[in-house]
């Protein structure tokens, strides 16, 4: 993973400054891949793109509209006085947790379908991470939130590419819609996705609804950043 400049953002509500780390490149060495489309690895980190203001709790995007400056932490490339100045005014922008993603969705901070899909998928990932860690749901309310999030995703997903059909099949499997999930898998013919499709197919036949880790060599997966 290669990082770039530190970006300074300003809360559009109260003016509080927060910092974000730009990421120039990542790689999938020793990465793990999950059936919900999430990837994690020692050399991979998704750039934080939305946060909750630590001063007023406003949820806002870390985008050019809210950017006020940027600087380099590396003293060979940047000015240490500028770096020290901004670090004295603001902390690193926190990543949203489950409640934060719920707030972003309920407050409709998205401006288009792509942003809404990103928020819903991010909420699903956080819920699935909890399940993978604890092998159970915290409560019946959390399980219902998981199912509601999946239903909302199915309403907005418009699959065209193989990875999108794979996600649709996963969501249908999660809801116990096993026949529909098999139909979605039938749309996948790309060789790069057949290993994952096969493992998902086996879970469907077993009527297993839960997220799992793909057992696929990294050379069979390419990182899709879109």
């Amino acid at each position: 993973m290669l990082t770039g400049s530190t970006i300074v953002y300003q809360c559009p509500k109260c003016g509080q400054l927060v910092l974000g780390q730009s990421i120039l490149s990542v790689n999938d060495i020793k990465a793990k891949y999950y059936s919900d489309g999430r990837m994690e690895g020692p050399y991979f980190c998704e750039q934080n793109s939305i946060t909750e203001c630590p001063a007023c709790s406003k949820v806002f995007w870390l985008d050019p509209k809210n950017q006020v400056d940027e600087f380099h932490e590396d003293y060979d490339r940047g000015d240490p006085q500028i770096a020290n100045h901004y670090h004295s005014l603001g902390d690193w922008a926190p990543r949203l947790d489950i409640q934060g993603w719920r707030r972003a969705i309920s407050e409709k901070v998205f401006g288009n379908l792509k942003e809404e899909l990103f928020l819903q998928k991010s909420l699903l990932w956080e819920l699935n991470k909890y399940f993978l860690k604890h092998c159970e749901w915290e409560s019946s309310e959390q399980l219902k939130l998981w199912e509601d999030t999946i239903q909302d995703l199915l309403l907005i997903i418009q699959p065209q590419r193989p990875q999108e059909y794979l996600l649709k099949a996963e969501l249908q499997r999660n809801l116990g819609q096993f026949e529909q999930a098999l139909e979605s898998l039938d749309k996948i013919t790309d060789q790069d996705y057949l290993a994952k499709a096969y493992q998902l197919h086996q879970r469907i036949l077993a009527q297993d609804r839960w997220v799992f880790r793909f057992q696929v060599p990294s050379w069979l997966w390419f990182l899709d950043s879109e």
Side-chain angles (χ1 to χ4, degrees):
M1 182 175 70
L2 180 63
T3 59
S5 61
T6 298
I7 305 175
V8 185
Y9 299 97
Q10 186 173 48
C11 172
K13 181 178 179 181
C14 74
Q16 172 68 40
L17 298 182
V18 295
L19 307 178
Q21 181 68 67
S22 63
I23 298 175
L24 301 180
S25 66
V26 296
N27 66 59
D28 61 356
I29 296 175
K30 298 183 179 180
K32 301 174 183 178
Y33 305 94
Y34 296 90
S35 56
D36 59 3
R38 185 171 64 89
M39 166 183 163
E40 63 181 21
Y43 307 105
F44 175 82
C45 179
E46 188 171 5
Q47 186 163 325
N48 194 9
S49 58
I50 189 169
T51 192
E52 182 178 304
C53 177
C56 71
S57 299
K58 168 77 173 177
V59 176
F60 65 97
W61 292 95
L62 301 175
D63 59 12
K65 181 177 63 177
N66 295 313
Q67 179 179 337
V68 294
D69 204 351
E70 67 178 309
F71 62 91
H72 289 280
E73 303 280 352
D74 186 346
Y75 287 176
D76 291 336
R77 300 176 60 192
D79 186 332
Q81 290 185 340
I82 294 177
N84 291 336
H85 169 70
Y86 279 123
H87 278 288
S88 70
L89 295 178
D91 294 323
W92 294 105
R95 292 183 179 270
L96 298 183
D97 57 12
I98 289 177
Q99 295 307 318
W101 292 114
R102 293 184 70 182
R103 275 196 59 209
I105 294 167
S106 65
E107 294 176 7
K108 299 185 185 300
V109 302
F110 49 87
N112 52 55
L113 186 63
K114 184 177 181 180
E115 290 180 350
E116 183 181 5
L117 182 62
F118 169 77
L119 295 178
Q120 294 282 5
K121 190 161 62 171
S122 297
L123 174 57
L124 176 65
W125 287 356
E126 287 299 316
L127 291 166
N128 278 338
K129 281 193 286 186
Y130 180 93
F131 181 83
L132 286 166
K133 181 178 180 180
H134 300 280
C135 298
E136 63 180 357
W137 297 109
E138 182 180 38
S139 63
S140 59
E141 289 77 15
Q142 190 183 59
L143 172 59
K144 185 178 185 305
L145 173 61
W146 178 74
E147 292 174 335
D148 289 345
T149 301
I150 292 167
Q151 289 173 342
D152 290 340
L153 270 168
L154 280 171
L155 289 175
I156 60 177
I157 190 172
Q158 300 174 353
Q160 295 181 343
R161 300 178 298 175
Q163 59 265 45
E164 294 161 351
Y165 279 108
L166 195 69
L167 175 59
K168 184 176 182 180
E170 167 70 357
L171 299 175
Q172 292 166 326
R173 180 182 73 91
N174 294 154
L175 293 180
Q177 299 172 1
F178 300 117
E179 291 299 324
Q180 295 95 319
L182 289 174
E183 292 174 3
S184 295
L185 283 185
D186 284 342
K187 302 286 179 39
I188 300 173
T189 57
D190 191 316
Q191 291 289 330
D192 290 327
Y193 292 89
L194 291 183
K196 295 183 289 295
Y198 173 77
Q199 291 182 58
L200 195 58
H201 183 272
Q202 295 302 105
R203 298 281 177 147
I204 293 170
L205 293 182
Q207 297 193 351
D208 179 354
R209 298 174 56 199
W210 313 116
V211 64
F212 67 95
R213 176 184 169 187
F214 281 123
Q215 300 300 316
V216 180
S218 60
W219 57 269
L220 288 176
W221 186 288
F222 69 88
L223 175 59
D224 175 26
S225 60
E226 295 183 17

